[in-house]
C-alpha cells in the first residue's frame, strides 16, 4: 500500500468514527455513514494527485469540525450554559443510577 492509500484509509476511519460517535448514534441516522462510504467509493478512482489531496483535506476538516462541535457542546453543558439540557440530564441520571447498580427505564414514546 502506498503512503497516499494509508493516508486515505486513516482519514476514512477517523471520519467514520466521528460520524458514528456524533451524528449516527441511532439506526435512523444510518444514511450519514452510508453517504460517507459512498463518497469515498465514488472518489476511489481519482487519478489527479491535487484532487485526491483536496478530498482528503475536506474529509479531515469535516472530521475536525464534528469533533470540535461535539467538544464545544460538552463544554457548554459542563458550564451550565442555557442549551438543551435534556440529553445532559439523561446522562447524569444514567450515571447516578449506574453507580448504585440500577438502570433507567426506557421512556415510552408512541
Amino acid at each position: 500500500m502506498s503512503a497516499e492509500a494509508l493516508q486515505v484509509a486513516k482519514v476514512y476511519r477517523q471520519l467514520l468514527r466521528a460520524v458514528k460517535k456524533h451524528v449516527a448514534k441511532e439506526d435512523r441516522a444510518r444514511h450519514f455513514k452510508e453517504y460517507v462510504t459512498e463518497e469515498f467509493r465514488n472518489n476511489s478512482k481519482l487519478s489527479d494527485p491535487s484532487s485526491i489531496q483536496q478530498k482528503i483535506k475536506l474529509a479531515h476538516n469535516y472530521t475536525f469540525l464534528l469533533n470540535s462541535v461535539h467538544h464545544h457542546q460538552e463544554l457548554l453543558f459542563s458550564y451550565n450554559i442555557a442549551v438543551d439540557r435534556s440529553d445532559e440530564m439523561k446522562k447524569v441520571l444514567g450515571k447516578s443510577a449506574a453507580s448504585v447498580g440500577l438502570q433507567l427505564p426506557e421512556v415510552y414514546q408512541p
Side-chain angles (χ1 to χ4, degrees):
M1 234 186 202
S2 69
E4 189 173 272
L6 289 174
Q7 183 183 13
V8 169
K10 179 181 175 186
V11 170
Y12 178 64
R13 279 193 307 270
Q14 289 173 345
L15 181 57
L16 277 183
R17 194 176 304 130
V19 167
K20 181 180 179 184
K21 183 176 180 183
H22 305 305
V23 179
K25 292 180 183 179
E26 301 165 4
D27 228 16
R28 60 187 165 95
R30 187 178 52 227
H31 61 277
F32 289 107
K33 287 184 351 186
E34 291 171 357
Y35 175 75
V36 169
T37 303
E38 181 182 327
E39 282 298 308
F40 269 84
R41 284 184 183 150
N42 290 342
N43 294 319
S44 67
K45 294 177 180 69
L46 289 177
S47 59
D48 182 31
S50 64
S51 64
I52 292 172
Q53 287 301 319
Q54 183 182 13
K55 296 286 185 179
I56 290 172
K57 186 174 181 179
L58 179 66
H60 180 70
N61 288 343
Y62 189 67
T63 304
F64 186 71
L65 174 70
L66 285 176
N67 290 328
S68 297
V69 167
H70 182 73
H71 182 67
H72 182 254
Q73 188 176 17
E74 285 180 349
L75 285 174
L76 290 176
F77 283 145
S78 70
Y79 295 144
N80 294 324
I81 304 295
V83 292
D84 183 22
R85 306 263 314 165
S86 61
D87 289 337
E88 181 68 15
M89 290 307 296
K90 286 180 187 177
K91 189 185 299 183
V92 169
L93 289 173
K95 286 181 181 178
S96 298
S99 69
V100 294
L102 300 174
Q103 290 182 340
L104 290 178
E106 293 294 323
V107 179
Y108 174 73
Q109 294 179 359

